[in-house]
Amino acid sequence: MNKVQERGTARHSATTIACAAVSLLLLSALATPAFAHEASGVAGGFVSGFLHPILGWDHVAAMVAVGLWGAFLGAPAIWLLPIVFPLVMAFGGALGIAGVPLPAVETGIAASAVVLGGMVALGARPPLWLAAVIVGAFAVLHGHAHGTELPAAADAVAYAVGFVTGTGLLHLTGITFGLATKWEGGKVAVRAAGGAIAVTGLAFLTGFA
Amino acid sequence: MKALIVLAMLLMAGACGPAMAHAPIKGIGTFYNGLLHPVLVPAHLLVLAAVGLLIGQHAPRVSRLALPAFAAALTVTLALIDASPGALQQWPLLAIALVAGLAVALARAGSLVATALALGAGVAVALDSAPDGAPDEQVWLALSGTGLGAALVVTYVGGFAARLELPWQKTAIRAAGSWIAASALLVLTLDLFPTASPPA
């Protein structure tokens, strides 16, 4: 197999996995609680952790925007993102669990959708370090908000795994959509999505949503 | 290396507490309950997956030493707890998962570090696997199942990771390590600060 074929196969496989991730995310969002079985213990902890970032629209908007921006920034940002973001977010979560207060967490979360969505809408390509600082700061705020809710979980380990997986799949959704930037029409669609996220964030920030 | 092993054993022995109940599944027998134990306890699965990924990510350089070390640590410790059952607190498992997950995310680990983590994982999982509700004469059967189950998880995860060679697949392994480390960090903090944060 030559390099062009290998690259084509790799791209095809990546697209297949990304599509599967998006499908899983959509299915989980459509799923309703199974009343026949009590959602407790490990399964209940995982499901509540998995759904937590998905059912909060402010989190969804920001996480998808991070993925979209990563796709705009290209390599290596697009690949560093799913590796570094969960760790920084967990650091923020640890601060929340430890009871370390951070100022204006909810405002910061709403602002994250405005800023990150705005970056996508503008097609901004700052240096990698600057993008990392912006995304990292918001990751800490999102993690802090999630961390304060961790103690209520039925099974803390299962909740944490579900929560991190749900967040990671939201990034993957953004990255997958962001792959459309390879085409001119796709670039317009992705920037429009960024604009929509920024407007949604503005609605959260001003109390309209 | 020996000093590291002794230190790890002492730390874990100090963290041992009374056996907490992992509810057995009725009707599948003692052996299969033991076999499923590492898969049904999230902290065990987390640490086994992290060590499996670490071994597979750097195979065969690391797996030659780390895999037998894991199997040996697991077997010896399971044999010891057959005589003196107990249970480990959660934090040593999570601490090993955190370090192993970080090593996978960074994609950098020497043979010595990976072997030490594999040894620690084998000892920690075994110490926390004392069966609840099994008749005394069948404890060895449950522990045999647990040993096999834990070894299978590490071998399968490691074997799977070792087969992934394309750049995006290697990134996926690193992302999985990062997710494991992030999950472990959250729960580890929760263990250290159980009442600091108000419930949602």
Side-chain angles (χ1 to χ4, degrees):
Chain A
M1 197 186 286
N2 63 36
K3 280 190 176 175
V4 175
Q5 283 174 317
E6 273 181 13
R7 211 172 292 144
T9 310
R11 196 175 298 142
H12 178 71
S13 306
T15 308
T16 307
I17 287 184
C19 286
V22 175
S23 306
L24 273 172
L25 207 61
L26 283 172
L27 284 173
S28 65
L30 290 171
T32 53
F35 293 111
H37 306 287
E38 189 188 352
S40 61
V42 175
F46 180 84
V47 170
S48 71
F50 186 78
L51 291 180
H52 193 268
I54 294 170
L55 296 180
W57 289 107
D58 47 353
H59 291 297
V60 171
M63 296 304 115
V64 172
V66 167
L68 289 175
W69 199 25
F72 246 117
L73 291 169
I78 193 170
W79 300 123
L80 282 175
L81 194 69
I83 296 169
V84 176
F85 192 95
L87 290 171
V88 180
M89 192 182 62
F91 172 70
L95 293 179
I97 294 165
V100 178
L102 288 180
V105 171
E106 290 304 323
T107 309
I109 287 172
S112 69
V114 177
V115 173
L116 295 168
M119 292 292 176
V120 176
L122 296 171
R125 289 183 180 172
L128 184 58
W129 69 266
L130 182 58
V133 168
I134 294 170
V135 171
F138 289 133
V140 170
L141 293 177
H142 280 269
H144 191 278
H146 289 306
T148 53
E149 294 166 18
L150 187 61
D155 184 297
V157 180
Y159 180 95
V161 171
F163 160 64
V164 173
T165 306
T167 303
L169 288 179
L170 284 174
H171 288 155
L172 207 52
T173 305
I175 290 171
T176 309
F177 185 24
L179 292 177
T181 51
K182 286 172 186 166
W183 302 281
E184 282 307 313
K187 271 185 191 165
V188 174
V190 170
R191 291 177 73 161
I197 289 171
V199 170
T200 309
L202 206 58
F204 285 124
L205 204 57
T206 53
F208 278 104
Chain B
M1 175 62 83
K2 279 180 184 172
L4 267 176
I5 296 167
V6 171
L7 184 66
M9 290 286 283
L10 284 174
L11 276 173
M12 287 177 195
C16 279
M20 303 296 285
H22 302 302
I25 301 170
K26 288 176 183 171
I28 65 167
T30 308
F31 178 77
Y32 287 105
N33 259 306
L35 189 75
L36 290 176
H37 193 267
V39 185
L40 295 178
V41 180
H44 289 199
L45 193 56
L46 209 60
V47 73
L48 292 172
V51 167
L53 285 175
L54 185 63
I55 289 173
Q57 188 182 40
H58 301 286
R61 178 174 56 87
V62 161
S63 60
R64 285 195 190 108
L65 189 59
L67 207 51
F70 170 78
L74 186 71
T75 309
V76 170
T77 315
L78 283 172
L80 290 175
I81 68 160
D82 188 15
S84 171
L88 194 67
Q89 287 175 23
Q90 196 172 234
W91 69 261
L93 289 159
L94 294 170
I96 295 168
L98 172 63
V99 178
L102 280 174
V104 173
L106 293 170
R108 282 178 195 167
S111 289
L112 200 66
V113 173
T115 304
L117 287 168
L119 275 169
V123 172
V125 168
L127 280 176
D128 195 40
S129 294
D132 293 309
D136 285 347
E137 66 276 11
Q138 288 188 4
V139 167
W140 69 271
L141 200 58
L143 293 176
S144 305
T146 299
L148 181 61
L152 283 176
V153 171
V154 170
T155 308
Y156 272 108
V157 172
F160 181 67
R163 289 185 63 84
L164 303 180
E165 290 176 346
L166 295 172
W168 71 267
Q169 292 172 334
K170 289 182 176 174
T171 303
I173 293 173
R174 293 180 65 186
S178 160
W179 291 10
I180 288 171
S183 304
L185 176 61
L186 285 171
V187 188
L188 206 53
T189 313
L190 188 63
D191 277 2
L192 290 173
F193 300 94
T195 56
S197 181

